[in-house]
Amino acid sequence: MKDPSRIAVGVAGAVAGYIAIFVLFSLLDFGNRADPITSGLLGLFVYSPMGAIAGAVLANCLVTRSGKDTGQDAGVGGVTRNSLKSLGIVALLCTAGLGAYIAYAYATATPWLNRNGANPLLVFEVRFPAGVTVPTSAQGITIELQTDINTMPGEVSPAAFYRDGDQAVIAGEVELAFRTSHRQLAVNIQGQSSRIYPIDLTARAPHAPEFGTWRRLGDGSEIRYRAKWPGKT
């Protein structure tokens, strides 16, 4: 039998040995019943790989004993060499499979902006045209961050309201939970049409210590904003 065929037989033996030991481990309920997770990990990463090794060696030994091998593949050295090659291929396949799973898991995972900490904030100010009546308290003002993933209610900060000449300015903040470049801020004041402001931040919304420039909406109102990350000012 040619070397590639022997290796293929060894790969099949390794896979069969791995599965057989894992099934046997599960059916006979080996391990610590009080800690099934640890027992399962032992089965997957200790006992079953031992079965894979035994399966590869056994498959190559059976091929050798069948009398179909001569020359360098007929001896113990040939069995060992081809068994190692078979196990190497199995290891490469497992590594490739694990890599593909990790890539898939990363691509489909929830895109939290700050996965291991508190959500960053979008801090904003909205300046209205002269003559527009704006409440001096939070009552009557609704803020909502809208993205292609979620919507998030925001809060206004009446203590930070001020007037810029004859124009009223409100201030507030809203959490940036997810990594996306599709964001807009809806500002609703009771008795007025809803105002939707595009938020031109990158998907990762890096921290900015100062507000950006004012951006004008079609009705003459303007917004400026910045991303504020936890622990930064």
Side-chain angles (χ1 to χ4, degrees), residues 102-188:
I102 292 174
Y104 172 78
Y106 180 81
T108 58
T110 302
W112 295 106
L113 187 56
N114 189 23
R115 186 177 300 276
N116 298 317
N119 290 331
L121 298 174
L122 176 73
V123 183
F124 64 88
E125 291 184 350
V126 177
R127 183 167 62 188
F128 297 91
V132 173
T133 302
V134 177
T136 57
S137 67
Q139 188 173 359
I141 302 177
T142 303
I143 306 295
E144 184 178 71
L145 178 70
Q146 302 169 347
T147 78
D148 57 336
I149 300 176
N150 75 320
T151 58
M152 184 72 74
E155 298 179 353
V156 292
S157 306
F161 289 6
Y162 65 95
R163 297 195 66 83
D164 185 4
D166 56 357
Q167 295 179 273
V169 180
I170 66 171
E173 59 187 31
V174 59
E175 291 185 0
L176 298 171
F178 299 106
R179 188 175 62 251
T180 175
S181 57
H182 301 286
R183 302 183 180 98
Q184 60 184 24
L185 190 72
V187 177
N188 297 298

Side-chain angles (χ1 to χ4, degrees), residues 50-68:
M50 292 169 62
I53 295 172
V57 173
L58 179 60
N60 278 287
C61 286
L62 291 175
V63 170
T64 300
R65 290 183 179 181
S66 69
K68 296 181 180 181

Side-chain angles (χ1 to χ4, degrees), residues 1-25:
M1 183 177 291
K2 294 182 179 180
D3 188 66
S5 298
R6 283 181 56 95
I7 294 173
V9 170
V11 169
V15 173
Y18 186 97
I19 295 174
I21 293 300
F22 183 76
V23 171
L24 184 64
F25 188 89

Side-chain angles (χ1 to χ4, degrees), residues 2-15 52-53 56 60 80-98:
K2 294 182 179 180
D3 188 66
S5 298
R6 283 181 56 95
I7 294 173
V9 170
V11 169
V15 173
I53 295 172
N60 278 287
T80 302
R81 181 171 54 255
N82 287 294
S83 296
L84 290 175
K85 290 179 181 179
S86 300
L87 291 170
I89 291 175
V90 171
L92 287 175
L93 291 174
C94 290
T95 301
L98 180 61

